[in-house]
Amino acid sequence: MRERIRLEKTIVTENDRLAAALAERFDRAGLLVVNLMSSPGAGKTALLEETARRLAGRLRMAAVDGDLATDRDARRIARAGMPCRQINTGGGCHLNGRQVAQAIEAYDLADLDILFIENVGNLVCPASFDLGEHRRVVVASTPEGDDKPVKYPVAFRRADCIVLNKIDLVDATGFAPAAFRGFLRDLRPGAPLLELSCKTGEGIDAWLDWLRAEREAVGRRTVPSPQ
Amino acid sequence: MHEVALAHAVWRQVAAEMRKHADRRLTKVHVVVGALSGAAPESLEFALGLLVAESEWPHAAVNVRQEPVVLVCRGCGNEYPMHEMRLTCPACGGADVEPVRGTELRLESLEVE
């Protein structure tokens, strides 16, 4: 007898399970975890370098950094004062829960205020792989063009904060800030947009304020586990 | 995106369901892919086809359907389809909106005999 069995079940992937376990661990430790995504070269590492220098001694921070090859980014971030573990993905185009779980073994999470996960430079795949983070930040930059949000909607739609870097190059690149803001408003209404330059330092304070506020928000939400 | 990994996740759930119907034969798998899920329907259908061919029901068909995005506005209650990557509410211009369909990957149904 032919029959159709209705299921309507959401597909749970292996990474979804790993991400849920990481999220629980991050909540227990009481720190803020930020997943940074962008195209290659938008300035994720530069943003972390600036963050390390400016918040040194005020917040306890560490990072893990994903790239196909080399530990160049981890060394840059460490030189700026933030401990950083490099994850080399080989050919992998995004970080997954297993790689992050392994990399954070180096840290005592309870001793940190913020953990940054610098994803592999790629605006497509990282957006589909949760890493248990509290906040997703998408970094765009003016040389990439002002229509990035509509061309990569999956990444931008789920961003909790959008950083527009290299704002000092607006004139040189012909980037139209109003168009970018419009695309973003349509796709991710209400999310903060922070326009800044890691090179000149313009706008960086707003980013640091955002981080402090989110750190506070997550800290309040986290209930310390009973002794 | 990563449709081979997704196909394996779908297939695990199909196999789990079929274990509950051990006396039946699988003839078709229906999967729904949200337009904002990040998964490409054609690639997922292809990858699932490979797993089906290796399974105990090698002749089962696979249907992967893309589902358009539908949003609801928390401000005015309007429910509307997403148009050209614009999420804001066309009725009131509100920005406090939530997708109710079109973001997930779902095993919709199985046809058996």
Side-chain angles (χ1 to χ4, degrees), chain B residues 69-74 76-82 89-91 98-101:
Chain B
V69 180
V70 175
L71 300 136
V72 68
C73 172
R74 289 204 196 91
C76 72
N78 182 29
E79 202 174 293
Y80 55 97
M82 182 178 73
C89 175
E98 179 77 26
V100 287
R101 272 205 299 282

Side-chain angles (χ1 to χ4, degrees), chain A:
Chain A
M1 188 190 70
R2 292 186 81 89
E3 191 192 345
R4 186 153 175 174
I5 307 167
R6 291 248 154 227
L7 296 167
E8 301 293 352
K9 282 194 173 162
T10 301
I11 301 298
V12 180
T13 64
E14 181 58 19
N15 190 70
D16 291 335
R17 275 187 277 269
L18 293 167
L22 279 171
E24 203 187 307
R25 220 170 130 188
F26 294 152
D27 274 352
R28 250 198 331 265
L31 80 171
L32 168 69
V33 180
V34 177
N35 184 355
L36 285 166
M37 299 177 217
S38 80
S39 327
K44 296 182 296 301
T45 307
L47 187 63
L48 289 184
E49 285 176 307
E50 277 304 296
T51 307
R53 289 189 197 108
R54 290 168 187 248
L55 290 180
R58 293 184 214 169
L59 285 175
R60 299 164 300 170
M61 301 175 293
V64 297
D65 187 299
D67 274 307
L68 271 66
T70 81
D71 63 348
R72 295 176 67 91
D73 282 4
R75 281 192 281 133
R76 273 174 63 186
I77 293 165
R79 265 200 305 274
M82 193 189 299
C84 185
R85 298 280 298 187
Q86 184 75 51
I87 301 169
N88 280 145
T89 61
C93 50
H94 61 275
L95 291 179
N96 62 43
R98 196 182 308 279
Q99 291 162 330
V100 171
Q102 209 167 30
I104 60 173
E105 288 305 326
Y107 301 128
D108 185 350
L109 297 180
D111 281 345
L112 292 175
D113 294 309
I114 306 179
L115 173 72
F116 293 99
I117 302 170
E118 181 181 332
N119 222 309
V120 178
N122 175 352
L123 266 182
V124 185
C125 313
S128 297
F129 288 81
D130 285 343
L131 301 173
E133 69 272 12
H134 296 103
R135 299 289 185 270
R136 289 180 164 214
V137 173
V138 171
V139 181
S141 66
T142 55
E144 297 168 48
D146 44 47
D147 55 359
K148 273 290 170 298
V150 274
K151 287 157 75 176
Y152 298 87
V154 178
F156 281 91
R157 188 189 70 81
R158 290 190 57 198
D160 297 298
C161 173
I162 294 94
V163 169
L164 175 61
N165 188 24
K166 309 186 192 179
I167 200 73
D168 53 314
L169 298 181
V170 162
D171 290 339
T173 56
F175 182 94
F180 184 80
R181 290 179 202 129
F183 286 133
L184 213 51
R185 201 164 43 238
D186 288 341
L187 189 65
R188 186 64 179 99
L193 165 62
L194 307 176
E195 303 180 359
L196 53 81
S197 166
C198 291
K199 192 171 176 192
T200 67
E202 181 188 350
I204 296 278
D205 285 342
W207 158 250
L208 302 179
D209 288 345
W210 182 83
L211 274 179
R212 285 193 201 93
E214 298 306 313
R215 162 72 198 127
E216 283 296 305
V218 166
R220 271 198 306 275
R221 196 172 53 87
T222 308
V223 182
S225 52
Q227 293 300 308

Side-chain angles (χ1 to χ4, degrees), chain A residues 1-14 17 93-94 124-126 128-129 149-150 153-154 157 183 185-190, chain B residues 1-2 6 9-10 12-13 17 20-21 24 27 30 36-38 85-88 95 97 99 103-113:
Chain A
M1 188 190 70
R2 292 186 81 89
E3 191 192 345
R4 186 153 175 174
I5 307 167
R6 291 248 154 227
L7 296 167
E8 301 293 352
K9 282 194 173 162
T10 301
I11 301 298
V12 180
T13 64
E14 181 58 19
R17 275 187 277 269
C93 50
H94 61 275
V124 185
C125 313
S128 297
F129 288 81
V150 274
V154 178
R157 188 189 70 81
F183 286 133
R185 201 164 43 238
D186 288 341
L187 189 65
R188 186 64 179 99
Chain B
M1 219 257 312
H2 302 86
L6 292 176
V10 171
R12 267 197 301 276
Q13 272 173 255
E17 286 301 324
K20 299 178 198 163
H21 307 275
R24 315 299 287 273
T27 57
H30 294 269
L36 272 181
S37 71
M85 294 302 157
R86 179 174 296 219
L87 273 71
T88 42
V97 302
T103 59
E104 62 167 18
L105 189 64
R106 217 163 62 236
L107 178 57
E108 186 198 55
S109 62
L110 300 178
E111 287 183 43
V112 297
E113 59 180 23

Side-chain angles (χ1 to χ4, degrees), chain B residues 22-69:
Chain B
D23 54 333
R24 315 299 287 273
R25 205 162 63 86
L26 181 69
T27 57
K28 195 164 185 178
V29 180
H30 294 269
V31 176
V32 174
V33 170
L36 272 181
S37 71
E42 308 77 25
S43 309
L44 181 59
E45 199 165 281
F46 177 75
L48 264 175
L50 296 177
L51 296 176
V52 167
E54 295 294 313
S55 76
E56 56 187 291
W57 314 283
H59 302 296
V62 174
N63 168 41
V64 178
R65 175 172 67 85
Q66 192 173 57
E67 181 176 65
V69 180

